[in-house]
Amino acid sequence: MPHHITPQLMFEGDAEQAMRFYVSLFDDAEIVRLEHYGPEEPGRKGSIKQAEFTLAGRRYTCIDSHIAHPFTFTPSISLFVECESRDEFERLLEQLSEQGQTLMPADDYGFSTRFAWLNDRFGVSWQLNLA
């Protein structure tokens, strides 16, 4: 069987909300699999045991960690989006930055006509690029 390398996002209770939000942002996106923890399992009942979704044809998985840990997402790994139009760029920037944190505000940085880097409200880092 061939190896598959899939980015996995680990949340602490927001996995389903984040996944549904991300899928709503892109036309070519869908939830492929959604498995919740049951009452006798180690995770909080109803939280995400394992889920799979696609964004622009790329596969991702996500979970809700039931184990407390001292770390979370970091901008050193981010989702890089090549926007097809200024309208798409501005729409994604507005929606992803709501209740998030701007790391690099939208601007022309020389390597791109319009670029922004942000952490969304779930802590996931996004780079938006308009060539």
Side-chain angles (χ1 to χ4, degrees), residues 56-126:
R58 183 168 308 273
R59 180 177 168 240
Y60 296 85
T61 61
C62 65
I63 63 170
D64 278 319
S65 177
H66 66 278
I67 300 168
H69 48 77
F71 56 86
T72 187
F73 295 108
T74 171
S76 64
I77 298 288
S78 59
L79 302 180
F80 190 93
V81 181
E82 290 282 355
C83 297
E84 294 181 4
S85 68
R86 187 171 182 107
D87 287 344
E88 179 187 32
F89 180 96
E90 297 301 331
R91 178 183 59 80
L92 289 172
L93 179 62
E94 179 183 340
Q95 292 176 317
L96 288 167
S97 64
E98 185 178 330
Q99 298 177 20
Q101 174 191 20
T102 299
L103 303 175
M104 289 177 73
D107 204 349
D108 180 342
Y109 288 97
F111 56 83
S112 171
T113 60
R114 192 131 176 93
F115 176 85
W117 196 338
L118 60 104
N119 292 337
D120 68 24
R121 66 180 178 249
F122 304 106
V124 175
S125 185
W126 295 80

Side-chain angles (χ1 to χ4, degrees), residues 3-63:
H3 293 317
H4 294 279
I5 298 175
T6 304
Q8 178 162 300
L9 305 174
M10 182 176 65
F11 297 89
E12 296 180 280
D14 294 327
E16 187 166 1
Q17 182 183 1
M19 176 181 56
R20 290 188 184 283
F21 174 60
Y22 301 151
V23 167
S24 77
L25 296 175
F26 298 93
D27 291 335
D28 184 12
E30 69 175 329
I31 296 172
V32 176
R33 183 171 50 91
L34 184 58
E35 185 180 350
H36 295 97
Y37 280 107
E40 303 300 320
E41 296 182 288
R44 182 181 48 80
K45 181 183 175 188
S47 64
I48 299 299
K49 183 176 187 177
Q50 183 74 330
E52 180 181 337
F53 61 103
T54 62
L55 302 176
R58 183 168 308 273
R59 180 177 168 240
Y60 296 85
T61 61
C62 65
I63 63 170

